[in-house]
Coordinates of all heavy atoms in Angstrom, one line a residue:
M856 N 0.8 -1.2 0.0 CA 0.0 0.0 0.0 C 0.9 1.3 0.0 O 1.9 1.3 0.8 CB -0.9 0.0 1.2 CG -1.9 1.1 1.3 SD -2.7 1.0 2.9 CE -4.4 1.2 2.5
A857 N 0.6 2.2 -0.9 CA 1.4 3.4 -1.0 C 1.2 4.3 0.3 O 0.1 4.4 0.8 CB 1.0 4.2 -2.2
S858 N 2.3 4.9 0.7 CA 2.2 5.8 1.9 C 1.7 7.2 1.4 O 1.9 7.6 0.3 CB 3.6 5.9 2.6 OG 4.5 6.6 1.7
V859 N 1.0 7.8 2.3 CA 0.4 9.1 2.1 C 1.5 10.2 2.4 O 2.0 10.2 3.5 CB -0.9 9.3 2.9 CG1 -1.4 10.7 2.6 CG2 -1.9 8.3 2.5
T860 N 1.7 11.1 1.4 CA 2.7 12.2 1.7 C 2.0 13.2 2.6 O 0.9 13.6 2.3 CB 3.1 12.8 0.4 OG1 3.5 11.8 -0.5 CG2 4.2 13.9 0.6
P861 N 2.7 13.6 3.7 CA 2.1 14.6 4.5 C 1.9 15.9 3.8 O 2.8 16.3 3.0 CB 3.1 14.7 5.7 CG 4.3 14.0 5.3 CD 4.0 13.1 4.1
H862 N 0.8 16.6 4.1 CA 0.6 17.9 3.5 C 1.6 18.9 4.0 O 1.8 19.1 5.2 CB -0.9 18.4 3.8 CG -1.1 19.8 3.4 ND1 -1.4 20.0 2.0 CD2 -1.2 20.9 4.0 CE1 -1.6 21.3 1.9 NE2 -1.5 21.9 3.0
R863 N 2.2 19.6 3.1 CA 3.2 20.6 3.4 C 2.7 21.9 2.9 O 2.2 22.0 1.7 CB 4.6 20.3 2.9 CG 5.4 19.6 3.9 CD 6.8 19.5 3.4 NE 7.0 18.2 2.8 CZ 7.6 17.9 1.7 NH1 8.3 18.9 1.1 NH2 7.7 16.7 1.2
K864 N 2.7 23.0 3.7 CA 2.2 24.3 3.3 C 3.2 24.8 2.2 O 4.4 24.8 2.5 CB 2.2 25.2 4.5 CG 1.5 26.5 4.2 CD 1.2 27.2 5.6 CE 0.8 28.6 5.4 NZ 0.0 29.0 4.4
K865 N 2.7 25.2 1.1 CA 3.5 25.7 0.0 C 3.6 27.2 0.0 O 2.6 27.8 0.3 CB 3.0 25.2 -1.3 CG 3.1 23.7 -1.5 CD 2.5 23.2 -2.8 CE 2.5 21.7 -2.8 NZ 1.6 21.1 -3.7
D866 N 4.7 27.8 -0.2 CA 4.9 29.2 -0.2 C 5.0 29.7 -1.7 O 6.0 29.5 -2.3 CB 6.1 29.6 0.6 CG 6.3 31.1 0.6 OD1 5.4 31.8 0.2 OD2 7.4 31.5 1.1
Y867 N 3.9 30.4 -2.1 CA 3.9 30.9 -3.5 C 4.1 32.5 -3.5 O 3.9 33.1 -4.5 CB 2.6 30.7 -4.1 CG 2.3 29.2 -4.4 CD1 1.5 28.5 -3.6 CD2 2.9 28.6 -5.5 CE1 1.2 27.1 -3.8 CE2 2.7 27.2 -5.7 CZ 1.9 26.5 -4.9 OH 1.6 25.2 -5.1
S868 N 4.6 33.0 -2.3 CA 4.7 34.5 -2.2 C 5.6 35.0 -3.3 O 5.5 36.2 -3.7 CB 5.2 34.9 -0.8 OG 6.4 34.2 -0.6
V869 N 6.6 34.2 -3.8 CA 7.5 34.7 -4.8 C 6.8 35.1 -6.1 O 7.3 35.9 -6.8 CB 8.6 33.6 -5.0 CG1 8.0 32.4 -5.7 CG2 9.8 34.2 -5.9
L870 N 5.7 34.5 -6.3 CA 4.9 34.8 -7.6 C 4.6 36.3 -7.6 O 4.5 36.9 -8.7 CB 3.7 34.0 -7.7 CG 3.9 32.5 -7.9 CD1 2.5 31.7 -7.9 CD2 4.6 32.2 -9.2
G871 N 4.3 36.9 -6.5 CA 4.0 38.3 -6.4 C 5.1 39.2 -7.0 O 4.8 40.2 -7.5
S872 N 6.3 38.7 -6.9 CA 7.4 39.6 -7.5 C 7.5 39.5 -9.0 O 8.2 40.3 -9.6 CB 8.7 39.2 -6.8 OG 9.0 37.8 -7.0
F873 N 6.9 38.4 -9.6 CA 6.9 38.3 -11.1 C 5.8 39.0 -11.7 O 5.9 39.4 -12.9 CB 6.9 36.8 -11.5 CG 8.0 36.0 -10.9 CD1 7.9 34.7 -10.5 CD2 9.3 36.5 -10.9 CE1 8.9 34.0 -10.0 CE2 10.4 35.8 -10.5 CZ 10.2 34.5 -10.0
A874 N 4.7 39.1 -11.0 CA 3.4 39.6 -11.6 C 3.6 41.2 -11.8 O 4.2 41.8 -11.0 CB 2.2 39.3 -10.8
S875 N 2.9 41.7 -12.9 CA 3.0 43.1 -13.1 C 2.1 43.8 -12.1 O 1.2 43.2 -11.5 CB 2.5 43.4 -14.5 OG 1.0 43.5 -14.5
Q876 N 2.4 45.0 -11.8 CA 1.6 45.8 -10.8 C 0.1 45.8 -11.2 O -0.7 45.9 -10.3 CB 2.1 47.2 -10.7 CG 3.4 47.3 -9.8 CD 3.1 46.7 -8.4 OE1 3.7 45.7 -8.1 NE2 2.2 47.3 -7.6
R877 N -0.2 45.8 -12.5 CA -1.6 45.9 -13.0 C -2.3 44.7 -12.6 O -3.6 44.7 -12.4 CB -1.6 46.1 -14.5 CG -1.4 47.5 -14.9 CD -1.7 47.7 -16.4 NE -2.4 46.7 -17.0 CZ -2.3 46.4 -18.3 NH1 -1.4 47.0 -19.0 NH2 -3.0 45.5 -18.9
A878 N -1.7 43.6 -12.3 CA -2.3 42.3 -12.0 C -2.7 42.3 -10.5 O -3.5 41.4 -10.1 CB -1.5 41.1 -12.4
M879 N -2.1 43.1 -9.7 CA -2.3 43.1 -8.3 C -3.7 43.3 -7.9 O -4.4 44.2 -8.5 CB -1.4 44.1 -7.6 CG 0.1 43.8 -7.6 SD 0.4 42.2 -6.7 CE 1.2 41.3 -8.0
G880 N -4.2 42.5 -7.0 CA -5.6 42.7 -6.6 C -6.6 42.0 -7.5 O -7.8 42.0 -7.2
K881 N -6.2 41.4 -8.6 CA -7.1 40.7 -9.5 C -6.8 39.2 -9.4 O -5.7 38.7 -9.5 CB -6.7 41.1 -11.0 CG -7.2 42.4 -11.4 CD -7.0 42.7 -12.8 CE -7.5 44.0 -13.3 NZ -7.3 44.3 -14.7
C882 N -7.9 38.5 -9.2 CA -7.8 37.0 -9.0 C -7.5 36.4 -10.4 O -8.2 36.8 -11.4 CB -9.1 36.5 -8.5 SG -9.1 34.7 -8.3
V883 N -6.5 35.6 -10.5 CA -6.2 35.0 -11.8 C -6.5 33.5 -11.8 O -6.1 32.7 -12.6 CB -4.7 35.1 -12.1 CG1 -4.3 36.6 -12.3 CG2 -3.8 34.5 -11.0
Y884 N -7.4 33.1 -10.8 CA -8.0 31.7 -10.8 C -7.0 30.6 -10.6 O -7.2 29.5 -11.0 CB -8.8 31.5 -12.1 CG -9.4 32.7 -12.7 CD1 -9.3 33.0 -14.0 CD2 -10.2 33.6 -11.9 CE1 -9.9 34.1 -14.6 CE2 -10.8 34.7 -12.5 CZ -10.6 35.0 -13.8 OH -11.2 36.1 -14.4
C885 N -5.8 30.9 -10.0 CA -4.8 29.9 -9.9 C -5.0 28.9 -8.8 O -4.4 27.8 -8.8 CB -3.4 30.6 -9.7 SG -3.4 31.5 -8.1
N886 N -5.9 29.2 -7.8 CA -6.2 28.4 -6.7 C -5.1 28.0 -5.8 O -5.1 27.0 -5.1 CB -6.9 27.1 -7.2 CG -8.4 27.2 -7.2 OD1 -9.0 28.1 -6.6 ND2 -9.1 26.2 -7.8
H887 N -4.1 28.9 -5.8 CA -3.0 28.7 -4.8 C -3.5 28.9 -3.4 O -2.9 28.5 -2.4 CB -1.8 29.6 -5.1 CG -1.0 29.2 -6.3 ND1 -0.4 30.1 -7.1 CD2 -0.7 28.0 -6.7 CE1 0.2 29.4 -8.1 NE2 0.0 28.1 -7.9
C888 N -4.7 29.6 -3.2 CA -5.2 29.8 -1.9 C -6.0 28.6 -1.3 O -6.4 28.7 -0.2 CB -6.1 31.0 -2.0 SG -7.4 30.9 -3.2
Q889 N -6.1 27.5 -2.1 CA -6.8 26.4 -1.6 C -6.0 25.7 -0.5 O -4.8 25.8 -0.5 CB -7.0 25.4 -2.8 CG -8.0 26.0 -3.9 CD -9.4 26.0 -3.4 OE1 -10.1 25.0 -3.3 NE2 -9.9 27.2 -3.1
P890 N -6.6 25.0 0.4 CA -8.0 24.7 0.4 C -8.8 25.8 1.1 O -8.4 26.3 2.1 CB -8.1 23.4 1.2 CG -6.9 23.5 2.1 CD -5.9 24.2 1.4
C891 N -10.0 26.0 0.6 CA -11.0 26.9 1.2 C -11.6 26.2 2.4 O -12.0 25.0 2.3 CB -12.0 27.3 0.2 SG -13.5 28.1 1.0
L892 N -11.8 26.8 3.5 CA -12.3 26.2 4.7 C -13.8 25.8 4.5 O -14.3 24.8 5.1 CB -12.2 27.1 5.9 CG -10.8 27.5 6.4 CD1 -10.8 28.3 7.6 CD2 -10.0 26.2 6.6
A893 N -14.5 26.5 3.6 CA -15.9 26.2 3.3 C -16.0 25.2 2.1 O -17.1 24.9 1.7 CB -16.7 27.4 3.1
G894 N -14.9 24.9 1.5 CA -15.0 24.0 0.3 C -15.2 24.7 -1.0 O -15.4 24.0 -2.0
L895 N -15.1 26.0 -1.0 CA -15.3 26.7 -2.3 C -14.1 26.5 -3.2 O -13.0 26.5 -2.8 CB -15.4 28.2 -2.0 CG -16.7 28.7 -1.4 CD1 -16.5 30.1 -0.8 CD2 -17.8 28.7 -2.4
D896 N -14.4 26.4 -4.5 CA -13.4 26.5 -5.5 C -13.2 28.0 -5.8 O -14.0 28.5 -6.6 CB -13.8 25.7 -6.8 CG -12.7 25.7 -7.8 OD1 -12.0 26.7 -8.0 OD2 -12.5 24.6 -8.5
V897 N -12.3 28.6 -5.2 CA -12.2 30.1 -5.2 C -11.9 30.5 -6.7 O -12.5 31.5 -7.1 CB -11.0 30.5 -4.3 CG1 -10.8 32.0 -4.4 CG2 -11.4 30.2 -2.8
G898 N -11.0 29.8 -7.4 CA -10.7 30.2 -8.7 C -11.9 30.2 -9.6 O -12.2 31.1 -10.4
L899 N -12.7 29.0 -9.6 CA -13.8 28.9 -10.5 C -14.9 29.9 -10.1 O -15.6 30.4 -11.0 CB -14.3 27.5 -10.5 CG -13.6 26.5 -11.4 CD1 -14.3 25.2 -11.4 CD2 -13.5 27.0 -12.8
N900 N -15.1 30.1 -8.9 CA -16.1 31.1 -8.5 C -15.8 32.5 -9.1 O -16.7 33.2 -9.6 CB -16.2 31.2 -6.9 CG -17.2 30.2 -6.4 OD1 -18.4 30.5 -6.2 ND2 -16.8 29.0 -6.1
N901 N -14.5 32.9 -9.0 CA -14.1 34.1 -9.5 C -14.2 34.1 -11.1 O -14.6 35.1 -11.7 CB -12.7 34.4 -9.1 CG -12.6 35.1 -7.7 OD1 -12.6 36.3 -7.6 ND2 -12.6 34.2 -6.7
K902 N -13.8 33.0 -11.7 CA -13.7 33.0 -13.1 C -15.1 33.1 -13.7 O -15.4 33.9 -14.7 CB -13.1 31.6 -13.6 CG -12.9 31.5 -15.0 CD -12.2 30.2 -15.3 CE -11.8 30.1 -16.8 NZ -11.1 28.9 -17.0
Y903 N -16.1 32.4 -13.2 CA -17.5 32.4 -13.7 C -18.1 33.8 -13.5 O -18.8 34.3 -14.3 CB -18.3 31.4 -13.1 CG -17.9 29.9 -13.5 CD1 -18.2 28.9 -12.7 CD2 -17.2 29.7 -14.6 CE1 -17.8 27.6 -13.0 CE2 -16.8 28.4 -15.0 CZ -17.1 27.4 -14.2 OH -16.7 26.1 -14.5
Y904 N -17.8 34.4 -12.3 CA -18.3 35.8 -12.0 C -17.7 36.8 -13.0 O -18.4 37.6 -13.6 CB -18.0 36.1 -10.6 CG -18.4 37.6 -10.3 CD1 -19.7 37.9 -10.1 CD2 -17.4 38.6 -10.1 CE1 -20.1 39.2 -9.8 CE2 -17.8 39.8 -9.8 CZ -19.1 40.2 -9.7 OH -19.5 41.4 -9.4
D905 N -16.4 36.7 -13.2 CA -15.7 37.6 -14.2 C -16.2 37.4 -15.6 O -16.4 38.4 -16.3 CB -14.2 37.5 -14.1 CG -13.6 38.0 -12.8 OD1 -14.4 38.8 -12.1 OD2 -12.5 37.7 -12.5
L906 N -16.4 36.2 -16.0 CA -16.9 35.9 -17.4 C -18.2 36.5 -17.6 O -18.5 37.2 -18.6 CB -17.0 34.4 -17.6 CG -15.7 33.7 -18.0 CD1 -15.9 32.1 -18.0 CD2 -15.3 34.1 -19.4
A907 N -19.1 36.3 -16.6 CA -20.5 36.8 -16.8 C -20.4 38.3 -16.8 O -21.1 39.0 -17.6 CB -21.3 36.3 -15.6
R908 N -19.7 38.9 -15.9 CA -19.6 40.4 -15.9 C -19.0 40.9 -17.2 O -19.5 41.9 -17.7 CB -18.8 40.8 -14.6 CG -18.6 42.3 -14.6 CD -17.9 42.8 -13.3 NE -18.9 42.8 -12.2 CZ -19.8 43.7 -12.0 NH1 -20.0 44.7 -12.8 NH2 -20.6 43.6 -11.0
N909 N -18.0 40.3 -17.7 CA -17.3 40.8 -18.9 C -18.3 40.7 -20.1 O -18.4 41.7 -20.9 CB -16.1 40.0 -19.2 CG -14.9 40.3 -18.3 OD1 -15.0 41.4 -17.6 ND2 -13.9 39.5 -18.2
H910 N -19.0 39.6 -20.2 CA -20.0 39.5 -21.3 C -21.1 40.6 -21.1 O -21.5 41.2 -22.1 CB -20.6 38.1 -21.3 CG -19.7 37.1 -21.9 ND1 -19.3 37.1 -23.2 CD2 -19.2 35.9 -21.3 CE1 -18.5 36.0 -23.4 NE2 -18.5 35.3 -22.3
Y911 N -21.5 40.7 -19.9 CA -22.6 41.7 -19.6 C -22.2 43.1 -20.0 O -22.9 43.9 -20.6 CB -23.0 41.6 -18.1 CG -24.2 42.5 -17.8 CD1 -25.5 42.1 -18.2 CD2 -24.1 43.7 -17.2 CE1 -26.6 42.9 -17.9 CE2 -25.1 44.5 -16.9 CZ -26.4 44.1 -17.3 OH -27.5 44.9 -17.1
E912 N -21.0 43.4 -19.6 CA -20.5 44.8 -19.8 C -20.3 45.1 -21.3 O -20.3 46.3 -21.7 CB -19.1 45.0 -19.0 CG -19.4 45.3 -17.6 CD -18.1 45.4 -16.7 OE1 -17.0 45.2 -17.3 OE2 -18.3 45.6 -15.5
N913 N -20.2 44.0 -22.1 CA -20.0 44.2 -23.6 C -21.4 44.4 -24.3 O -21.4 44.6 -25.5 CB -19.2 43.1 -24.2 CG -17.7 43.3 -23.9 OD1 -17.2 44.4 -23.7 ND2 -17.0 42.2 -23.7
L914 N -22.5 44.1 -23.6 CA -23.8 44.3 -24.2 C -24.0 45.8 -24.5 O -23.7 46.7 -23.7 CB -24.9 43.9 -23.2 CG -25.1 42.4 -23.0 CD1 -26.0 42.1 -21.8 CD2 -25.6 41.7 -24.3
A915 N -24.5 46.0 -25.7 CA -24.8 47.4 -26.2 C -25.9 48.0 -25.3 O -25.8 49.2 -25.0 CB -25.2 47.4 -27.6
V916 N -26.9 47.3 -25.0 CA -28.0 47.8 -24.2 C -28.2 46.8 -23.0 O -28.4 45.6 -23.3 CB -29.3 47.9 -25.0 CG1 -30.4 48.5 -24.1 CG2 -29.1 48.7 -26.2
K917 N -28.2 47.3 -21.8 CA -28.2 46.4 -20.7 C -29.6 46.4 -19.9 O -30.4 47.3 -20.2 CB -27.1 46.8 -19.7 CG -25.7 46.8 -20.3 CD -24.6 47.3 -19.4 CE -23.3 47.1 -20.0 NZ -23.1 47.9 -21.2
A918 N -29.7 45.5 -19.0 CA -31.0 45.2 -18.4 C -31.5 46.5 -17.7 O -32.8 46.7 -17.7 CB -30.8 44.1 -17.3
E919 N -30.7 47.4 -17.3 CA -31.2 48.6 -16.6 C -31.9 49.5 -17.6 O -32.5 50.5 -17.1 CB -30.0 49.3 -15.9 CG -28.8 49.6 -16.7 CD -27.7 48.5 -16.4 OE1 -28.1 47.3 -16.3 OE2 -26.5 48.9 -16.4
S920 N -31.8 49.2 -18.9 CA -32.5 50.1 -19.8 C -34.0 49.6 -20.0 O -34.8 50.3 -20.7 CB -31.9 50.0 -21.2 OG -30.6 50.5 -21.1
C921 N -34.4 48.5 -19.4 CA -35.8 48.1 -19.5 C -36.7 49.2 -19.0 O -36.5 49.7 -17.9 CB -36.0 46.8 -18.6 SG -37.7 46.2 -18.5
V922 N -37.7 49.4 -19.8 CA -38.7 50.5 -19.5 C -40.0 49.9 -18.9 O -41.0 50.6 -18.7 CB -39.0 51.4 -20.7 CG1 -37.8 52.2 -21.1 CG2 -39.6 50.6 -21.8
R923 N -40.0 48.6 -18.6 CA -41.1 47.9 -18.0 C -42.4 48.1 -18.8 O -43.5 48.3 -18.2 CB -41.3 48.3 -16.5 CG -40.0 48.1 -15.7 CD -40.1 48.5 -14.3 NE -41.2 47.8 -13.6 CZ -41.1 46.5 -13.1 NH1 -40.0 45.8 -13.3 NH2 -42.1 46.0 -12.5
C924 N -42.3 47.9 -20.1 CA -43.5 48.0 -20.9 C -44.4 46.8 -20.9 O -45.6 46.8 -21.2 CB -43.1 48.3 -22.4 SG -42.2 46.9 -23.2
G925 N -43.8 45.6 -20.5 CA -44.6 44.4 -20.4 C -44.7 43.6 -21.7 O -45.3 42.5 -21.7
H926 N -44.1 44.1 -22.8 CA -44.3 43.4 -24.1 C -43.7 41.9 -24.0 O -44.4 41.0 -24.4 CB -43.6 44.1 -25.2 CG -43.6 43.4 -26.5 ND1 -44.7 43.3 -27.3 CD2 -42.6 42.7 -27.1 CE1 -44.4 42.6 -28.4 NE2 -43.2 42.2 -28.3
C927 N -42.5 41.8 -23.5 CA -41.9 40.5 -23.4 C -42.7 39.5 -22.5 O -42.9 38.3 -22.9 CB -40.4 40.5 -23.0 SG -40.2 41.4 -21.4
D928 N -43.2 40.0 -21.4 CA -44.1 39.2 -20.6 C -45.3 38.6 -21.3 O -45.6 37.5 -21.2 CB -44.6 40.0 -19.4 CG -43.5 40.2 -18.3 OD1 -42.3 39.9 -18.6 OD2 -43.8 40.8 -17.3
S929 N -45.9 39.5 -22.1 CA -47.1 39.0 -22.9 C -46.8 38.1 -24.0 O -47.6 37.3 -24.5 CB -47.8 40.2 -23.4 OG -47.1 40.9 -24.4
Q930 N -45.5 38.1 -24.5 CA -45.1 37.3 -25.6 C -44.4 36.0 -25.3 O -44.3 35.1 -26.1 CB -44.2 38.1 -26.6 CG -44.8 39.3 -27.2 CD -46.1 39.0 -28.0 OE1 -46.0 38.2 -28.9 NE2 -47.2 39.6 -27.7
C931 N -43.9 35.8 -24.1 CA -43.1 34.7 -23.7 C -44.0 33.4 -23.6 O -44.9 33.4 -22.8 CB -42.4 34.9 -22.4 SG -41.4 33.5 -21.9
P932 N -43.7 32.4 -24.4 CA -44.5 31.1 -24.4 C -44.3 30.3 -23.1 O -45.0 29.4 -22.8 CB -44.0 30.4 -25.6 CG -42.6 30.9 -26.0 CD -42.6 32.3 -25.4
F933 N -43.2 30.7 -22.3 CA -42.9 30.0 -21.1 C -43.4 30.8 -19.9 O -43.0 30.4 -18.7 CB -41.4 29.6 -21.0 CG -41.0 28.8 -22.2 CD1 -40.3 29.4 -23.2 CD2 -41.3 27.5 -22.3 CE1 -39.9 28.7 -24.3 CE2 -40.9 26.7 -23.4 CZ -40.2 27.3 -24.4
H934 N -44.1 31.8 -20.1 CA -44.7 32.6 -19.0 C -43.6 33.2 -18.0 O -43.9 33.2 -16.8 CB -45.8 31.8 -18.3 CG -46.8 31.3 -19.2 ND1 -47.8 32.1 -19.8 CD2 -47.0 30.0 -19.6 CE1 -48.5 31.3 -20.5 NE2 -48.1 30.0 -20.5
V935 N -42.5 33.5 -18.6 CA -41.5 34.1 -17.8 C -41.9 35.6 -17.5 O -42.3 36.3 -18.3 CB -40.1 34.1 -18.5 CG1 -39.0 34.8 -17.7 CG2 -39.7 32.7 -18.8
I936 N -41.7 35.9 -16.2 CA -42.0 37.3 -15.8 C -40.7 38.1 -16.1 O -39.8 38.3 -15.2 CB -42.4 37.4 -14.3 CG1 -43.5 36.4 -14.0 CG2 -42.8 38.9 -14.0 CD1 -44.8 36.6 -14.8
Q937 N -40.5 38.4 -17.3 CA -39.2 39.0 -17.7 C -38.9 40.4 -17.2 O -37.7 40.7 -17.0 CB -39.1 39.0 -19.3 CG -37.7 39.2 -19.8 CD -36.7 38.3 -19.2 OE1 -35.8 38.7 -18.5 NE2 -36.8 37.0 -19.5
M938 N -39.9 41.1 -16.9 CA -39.7 42.5 -16.4 C -39.0 42.3 -15.0 O -38.1 43.1 -14.7 CB -41.0 43.2 -16.1 CG -41.6 43.8 -17.4 SD -42.8 45.1 -17.1 CE -44.1 44.1 -16.4
A939 N -39.4 41.3 -14.2 CA -38.8 41.1 -12.9 C -37.3 40.6 -13.1 O -36.4 41.0 -12.4 CB -39.6 40.1 -12.1
R940 N -37.1 39.7 -14.1 CA -35.8 39.2 -14.4 C -34.9 40.4 -14.7 O -33.7 40.4 -14.3 CB -35.8 38.2 -15.6 CG -36.5 37.0 -15.3 CD -35.7 35.9 -14.7 NE -34.5 35.6 -15.6 CZ -33.5 34.8 -15.2 NH1 -33.5 34.4 -13.9 NH2 -32.5 34.5 -16.0
M941 N -35.3 41.3 -15.6 CA -34.5 42.4 -16.0 C -34.1 43.3 -14.7 O -32.9 43.7 -14.6 CB -35.2 43.3 -17.0 CG -35.2 42.7 -18.4 SD -33.6 42.4 -19.0 CE -34.0 41.3 -20.4
Q942 N -35.0 43.4 -13.8 CA -34.7 44.2 -12.6 C -33.6 43.4 -11.8 O -32.7 44.0 -11.2 CB -35.9 44.3 -11.7 CG -36.7 45.6 -12.1 CD -37.7 45.9 -11.0 OE1 -38.4 45.1 -10.6 NE2 -37.7 47.2 -10.6
E943 N -33.8 42.1 -11.7 CA -32.9 41.2 -11.0 C -31.5 41.3 -11.6 O -30.5 41.4 -10.9 CB -33.5 39.8 -11.0 CG -32.6 38.8 -10.2 CD -33.2 37.4 -10.3 OE1 -34.5 37.3 -10.4 OE2 -32.4 36.5 -10.2
I944 N -31.5 41.2 -12.9 CA -30.2 41.2 -13.6 C -29.5 42.5 -13.4 O -28.3 42.6 -13.1 CB -30.4 40.9 -15.1 CG1 -30.9 39.4 -15.3 CG2 -29.1 41.1 -15.9 CD1 -31.5 39.1 -16.7
A945 N -30.2 43.6 -13.6 CA -29.6 44.9 -13.4 C -29.1 45.1 -12.0 O -28.0 45.6 -11.8 CB -30.7 46.0 -13.7
G946 N -29.8 44.6 -11.0 CA -29.4 44.7 -9.6 C -28.1 43.9 -9.4 O -27.2 44.3 -8.7
Y947 N -28.1 42.7 -10.0 CA -27.0 41.8 -9.8 C -25.7 42.4 -10.3 O -24.6 42.4 -9.6 CB -27.3 40.5 -10.5 CG -26.1 39.5 -10.4 CD1 -25.9 38.7 -9.3 CD2 -25.3 39.3 -11.5 CE1 -24.9 37.8 -9.2 CE2 -24.2 38.4 -11.4 CZ -24.0 37.7 -10.3 OH -23.0 36.8 -10.2
F948 N -25.7 42.9 -11.5 CA -24.5 43.4 -12.1 C -24.1 44.9 -11.6 O -23.0 45.3 -11.8 CB -24.5 43.4 -13.6 CG -24.4 42.0 -14.1 CD1 -25.4 41.3 -14.7 CD2 -23.1 41.3 -14.0 CE1 -25.3 40.0 -15.2 CE2 -23.0 40.0 -14.5 CZ -24.0 39.4 -15.1
N949 N -25.1 45.5 -11.0 CA -24.7 46.9 -10.6 C -24.6 47.0 -9.1 O -24.6 48.1 -8.5 CB -25.8 47.9 -11.1 CG -25.8 48.0 -12.6 OD1 -24.7 48.2 -13.1 ND2 -26.9 47.9 -13.2
C950 N -24.5 45.8 -8.4 CA -24.4 45.8 -7.0 C -23.1 46.5 -6.5 O -22.1 46.6 -7.2 CB -24.5 44.4 -6.4 SG -23.2 43.3 -7.0
Ligands
LIG2437 S1 -7.3 31.7 -7.0 FE1 -6.8 32.3 -4.9 S2 -4.5 32.4 -4.9 FE2 -5.2 32.4 -7.1 S3 -5.4 34.6 -7.6 FE3 -7.4 34.0 -6.9 S4 -7.5 34.4 -4.7 FE4 -5.3 34.5 -5.3
LIG2438 S1 -40.6 44.9 -20.3 FE1 -39.6 43.5 -21.8 S2 -40.0 44.3 -23.8 FE2 -40.4 46.0 -22.3 S3 -38.5 47.1 -22.1 FE3 -38.4 45.6 -20.5 S4 -37.4 43.9 -21.5 FE4 -38.0 45.2 -23.1

């Protein structure tokens, strides 16, 4: 049976001296901060949030432009209350 290698704390502090100053404070999803005490995948949580935000910011017209006319609500075959969704989306990205 193979022996288990004891966990040793790794020191990645040297990486900070290679990174450009512009990168400071920005998560690069490297997961060197693992393990998270709550079990979060810190890198992926940040990556998905940043991806969504970047895509959203590139939209020509964003959810906050909704004038609550109700047209989409009346046309949606799946009965989505889209006016409420637009408010939720606008709130989420503008928090
Ligand atoms: S994943 Fe963790 S270690 Fe890597 S940049 Fe983000 S916060 Fe820092
Ligand atoms: S209610 Fe629907 S159709 Fe009207 S502005 Fe908002 S998103 Fe557009």
